[in-house]
Amino acid sequence: MDFKSVGIKGLGYYVPEKVMTNFDFEKLIDTSDEWIRTRTGIEERRFAAPDQATSDLCVEASKKALENANMTIDDIDLILIATCTPDYPVQAAACLVQKKLGAKQTPCFDLNAACSGFIYGLTVAGGMIRGGVYKNILVVGAETLSRIIDMEDRNTCVLFGDGAAAAVVSEVEEGYGFLGVYLGAEGEDDDILKIPAGGTKKPNTVETIENRENFVHMKGKDVFKFAVHALPRATNKAMKIAGVTSDELKMVFPHQANIRIIEAAAKRIHAPIEKFYVNLQRFGNTSSASVGIALGEALEKGKLKKGDLIALTGFGAGLTYGSIVMKWVY
Ligand code: UT7
């Protein structure tokens, strides 16, 4: 059976204007620029303005993606937002994006695979296009993590930032686009990275708020251990499916959580660290947006050209992970 070739026809990203530096955190909590930089690589991150929520970040990124794809919102058959920080617990952020972009009747849904969300979203969109369900799908990875981090918890608050990345996924020239896709999850590790309260298991009460259970709780070392095996596992599997070796990859776009995780993954993928696009120093960990923002920035800087083989690779809460190897389309 012949499969359609599916890939990214246009990509755009958006980060809010407000810059929070490590020095800003020094004024708020017991931390230091030196600790944050040496343990993570992060120097600054962006925080959304008070009147911005996730759907607003999505809209900005989506406009750029549509422009780069030479399309309008009327060409889009489905809006898929990968996020773990929607504007509201009930009502998909995708529906708000539909309204703000003026896309009447376009189907919409959100997908939550945490930091692996962009890769999961692209995979779902790719499958739908291959199956002939839709032609053009807008996939956005977007987060306003500044609203769910505990600004009194130095173990977590210095790591995250806000942002969005959008991709128009469509049928592409034969042989281009997604060549190998691999997704995975380890649901048994369910106590490592989550917001303990505010869901249906433990609705928020005065007590949960007092205990700060309405914010992200993370066992950092456990996430680290998971990440250094999940990133290479996903990438190596996707490369194998694509029939591509790490030597052939022009660049790798990893989830931007920690430079030490990326360095460890690079060794296990047998690819030089120079092939890994890293911008976490300026944006921190933007969860489902991070891989797309990295890709968008590399494109802006002219680092990619048609036909380049690249890998997107990520991991996140769940725990989830995934990778897509693709031949760049434009
Ligand atoms: O998208 C997925 C999201 N999460 C991740 O990717 C996180 C993965 N994990 C990591 O990146 C690292 O584990 C961290 C950066 C979170 C932590 O680095 P670490 O080298 O594992 O440090 P640690 O947790 O072992 O903490 C070492 C020390 C502790 O002090 P004591 O107990 O040794 O006295 C912490 O309390 O560093 C302390 N510490 C800090 N000190 C200054 C923790 N956070 C900070 C901080 N500033 N912000």
Side-chain angles (χ1 to χ4, degrees):
M1 186 174 167
D2 278 344
F3 284 112
K4 288 177 186 170
S5 293
V6 174
I8 296 175
K9 268 204 174 154
L11 195 114
Y13 74 97
Y14 170 78
V15 288
E17 276 173 31
K18 184 180 165 53
V19 177
M20 275 290 286
T21 66
N22 291 348
F23 299 104
D24 292 327
F25 276 98
E26 283 185 355
K27 292 176 205 143
L28 298 173
I29 48 167
D30 180 15
T31 191
S32 66
D33 170 63
E34 206 264 334
W35 190 96
I36 303 169
R37 258 188 307 105
T38 52
R39 295 290 175 121
T40 71
I42 299 166
E43 293 168 19
E44 57 186 49
R45 69 291 288 145
R46 303 295 180 95
F47 276 8
D51 63 347
Q52 282 180 315
T54 295
S55 67
D56 302 301
L57 313 187
C58 290
V59 166
E60 297 307 321
S62 300
K63 285 180 184 165
K64 292 182 193 163
L66 288 166
E67 194 185 317
N68 289 335
N70 267 322
M71 288 189 196
T72 71
I73 190 63
D74 297 334
D75 297 310
I76 296 298
D77 309 308
L78 173 74
I79 300 172
L80 196 174
I81 310 290
T83 186
C84 56
T85 52
D87 298 32
Y88 304 106
V90 172
Q91 185 181 40
C95 293
L96 299 168
V97 173
Q98 186 222 46
K99 178 184 166 190
K100 289 174 187 177
L101 289 173
K104 288 201 173 61
Q105 304 300 326
T106 309
C108 302
F109 71 93
D110 288 2
L111 170 160
N112 180 353
C115 308
S116 313
F118 193 61
I119 289 164
Y120 268 64
L122 292 175
T123 304
V124 171
M128 283 180 153
I129 293 166
R130 279 193 168 153
V133 185
Y134 296 116
K135 279 194 158 60
N136 302 311
I137 302 181
L138 181 65
V139 176
V140 193
E143 307 287 0
T144 315
L145 295 162
S146 58
R147 303 274 154 73
I148 61 159
I149 50 176
D150 184 347
M151 291 297 277
E152 293 179 10
D153 177 11
R154 69 178 184 173
N155 292 292
T156 51
C157 70
V158 298
L159 305 175
F160 299 100
D162 302 335
V168 176
V169 182
S170 309
E171 188 174 350
V172 296
E173 212 175 310
E174 204 185 322
Y176 285 78
F178 306 166
L179 305 181
V181 172
Y182 183 82
L183 302 180
E186 294 182 5
E188 64 270 24
D189 293 325
D190 61 354
D191 212 23
I192 289 180
L193 178 50
K194 67 180 175 193
I195 299 180
T200 53
K201 176 83 174 168
K202 197 176 196 185
N204 268 318
T205 59
V206 172
E207 197 187 349
T208 63
I209 303 285
E210 277 171 2
N211 293 338
R212 307 187 79 78
E213 290 175 276
N214 55 320
F215 294 120
V216 169
H217 287 238
M218 182 181 75
K219 294 178 182 162
K221 277 209 184 314
D222 291 334
V223 180
F224 196 100
K225 274 187 222 150
F226 164 73
V228 296
H229 87 80
L231 269 190
R233 178 180 161 83
T235 319
N236 288 331
K237 292 262 187 193
M239 284 195 296
K240 194 164 179 214
I241 293 164
V244 163
T245 66
S246 56
D247 288 346
E248 294 171 280
L249 288 179
K250 169 97 180 285
M251 288 178 95
V252 181
F253 294 89
H255 173 43
Q256 307 283 318
N258 187 319
I259 188 62
R260 293 187 291 137
I261 292 174
I262 296 173
E263 283 165 355
K267 281 194 188 127
R268 293 181 186 192
I269 296 166
H270 306 294
I273 188 72
E274 292 72 30
K275 283 192 181 183
F276 286 69
Y277 191 86
V278 178
N279 64 2
L280 57 83
Q281 61 278 13
R282 278 173 290 112
F283 301 128
N285 178 347
T286 56
S287 187
S288 69
S290 82
V291 171
I293 292 176
L295 188 55
E297 222 189 34
L299 280 164
E300 227 171 43
K301 291 184 175 168
K303 289 187 183 293
L304 275 186
K305 61 175 193 325
K306 185 176 174 179
D308 284 342
L309 285 170
I310 61 169
L312 315 188
T313 182
F315 66 92
L319 299 165
T320 59
Y321 58 104
S323 177
I324 303 179
V325 169
M326 60 178 84
K327 193 183 242 194
W328 192 247
V329 172
Y330 67 95

